[in-house]
């Protein structure tokens, strides 16, 4: 039998959905609800509009699960989250030229500007919808008094990307990365190599 340990049980703090679902030492610390904040009628209007928009969208491939309803946000995927990795890669390339997600977001902003929502592109195939202020900086309230420095690593650090707000925050030291390997490399340069050099220097004296 292969035993696995949940990620939330391996770290002091664990944040899902921008920190709207927060864990400390593996136990739930706090959670926020988009359904409660928005109300059922407004939420239904928003969901109906998204589904109609997707139905009318002319893109090369569509699969399934176009909306994923989470505690504190909606995740919207024009191609559908049931696509394969190859299809994800193809859509990402297509979207870079066609601006499918960008145009989708602009339409939502025009229709629902009065709701006080933020639209944030993340990953290869989707974008998130959540109340203003519920971006990734939301999680900082739980850790900013616990640590002298908070480093953040993200690949969507441009304006409109879902890493932008926390990357720009004065409460963090932001690092832009382009892959998991790049993240590991930057962490090694920042944290591991200096410690090893200091250790070697101490041993040589």
């Amino acid at each position: 039998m292969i035993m696995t340990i949940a990620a939330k049980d391996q770290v002091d703090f664990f944040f899902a959905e921008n920190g709207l679902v927060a864990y400390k030492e593996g136990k739930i610390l706090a959670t926020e609800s988009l359904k409660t904040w928005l109300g059922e009628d407004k939420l239904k209007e928003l969901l109906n509009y998204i589904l109609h928009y997707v139905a009318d969208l002319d893109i090369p491939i569509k699969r399934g699960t176009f909306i994923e309803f989470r505690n504190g946000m909606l995740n919207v995927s024009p191609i559908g989250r049931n696509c394969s990795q190859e299809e994800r890669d193809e859509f990402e390339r297509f979207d870079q030229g066609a601006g499918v997600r960008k145009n989708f977001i602009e339409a939502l902003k025009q229709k629902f500007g009065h709701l006080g929502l933020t639209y944030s592109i993340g990953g290869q195939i989707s974008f998130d919808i959540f109340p203003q202020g519920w971006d990734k900086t939301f999680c900082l309230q739980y850790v900013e008094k616990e640590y002298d420095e908070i480093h953040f690593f993200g690949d969507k650090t441009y304006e409109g990307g879902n890493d932008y707000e926390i990357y720009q925050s004065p409460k963090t030291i932001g690092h832009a990365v382009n892959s998991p390997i790049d993240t590991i490399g930057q962490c090694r340069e920042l944290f591991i190599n200096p410690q090893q050099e200091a250790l070697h220097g101490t041993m040589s004296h």
Side-chain angles (χ1 to χ4, degrees), residues 151-176:
H151 290 257
F152 175 79
F153 298 80
D155 65 333
K156 298 293 188 296
T157 56
Y158 52 82
E159 189 169 3
N162 66 351
D163 295 325
Y164 177 76
E165 290 84 4
I166 192 168
Y167 175 76
Q168 293 284 348
S169 173
K171 297 179 180 180
T172 69
I173 301 171
H175 307 274

Side-chain angles (χ1 to χ4, degrees), residues 46-57 66-67 104:
L46 176 61
L47 291 171
N48 286 342
Y49 181 88
I50 292 170
L51 290 171
H52 280 292
Y53 190 100
V54 170
D56 294 335
L57 197 58
F66 301 103
I67 303 175
F104 202 156

Side-chain angles (χ1 to χ4, degrees), residues 5 22 27 29 38 59 62 71 73-74 102 136 140 151 164 181:
I5 301 174
K27 297 179 181 179
L29 181 63
L38 200 55
I59 56 177
K62 289 183 184 178
N71 283 308
M73 67 175 67
L74 297 176
K102 182 180 178 180
K136 288 185 179 180
L140 295 177
H151 290 257
Y164 177 76
I181 293 175

Side-chain angles (χ1 to χ4, degrees), residues 4-176:
T4 59
I5 301 174
K8 66 181 177 62
D9 297 321
Q10 300 182 56
V11 292
D12 295 331
F13 290 91
F14 181 87
F15 302 109
E17 302 180 32
N18 295 352
L20 302 176
V21 181
Y23 295 85
K24 183 177 182 179
E25 298 175 351
K27 297 179 181 179
I28 192 74
L29 181 63
T31 183
E32 300 291 337
S33 169
L34 175 64
K35 181 174 65 175
T36 301
W37 186 89
L38 200 55
E40 197 62 54
D41 289 342
K42 292 178 181 177
L43 178 60
K44 184 170 65 175
E45 182 184 2
L46 176 61
L47 291 171
N48 286 342
Y49 181 88
I50 292 170
L51 290 171
H52 280 292
Y53 190 100
V54 170
D56 294 335
L57 197 58
D58 184 17
I59 56 177
I61 297 173
K62 289 183 184 178
R63 292 299 179 252
T65 311
F66 301 103
I67 303 175
E68 188 171 87
F69 187 88
R70 303 174 181 173
N71 283 308
M73 67 175 67
L74 297 176
N75 180 265
V76 180
S77 175
I79 185 178
R81 298 193 64 85
N82 291 353
C83 59
S84 67
Q85 184 59 54
E86 182 180 357
E87 290 165 344
R88 282 172 173 260
D89 296 340
E90 290 176 1
F91 176 80
E92 183 178 31
R93 288 191 292 268
F94 177 77
D95 188 41
Q96 287 173 354
V100 176
R101 288 181 289 178
K102 182 180 178 180
N103 293 335
F104 202 156
I105 287 172
E106 287 304 314
L108 286 165
K109 284 181 177 179
Q110 291 185 17
K111 178 69 175 179
F112 298 101
H114 60 289
L115 293 185
L117 296 170
T118 294
Y119 306 87
S120 184
I121 292 175
Q124 293 180 286
I125 62 170
S126 64
F127 62 90
D128 297 326
I129 303 174
F130 47 85
Q132 291 174 2
W134 287 22
D135 54 65
K136 288 185 179 180
T137 60
F138 193 88
C139 71
L140 295 177
Q141 63 185 297
Y142 303 115
V143 295
E144 59 185 327
K145 295 181 180 178
E146 300 276 346
Y147 304 100
D148 295 330
E149 289 184 348
I150 300 173
H151 290 257
F152 175 79
F153 298 80
D155 65 333
K156 298 293 188 296
T157 56
Y158 52 82
E159 189 169 3
N162 66 351
D163 295 325
Y164 177 76
E165 290 84 4
I166 192 168
Y167 175 76
Q168 293 284 348
S169 173
K171 297 179 180 180
T172 69
I173 301 171
H175 307 274

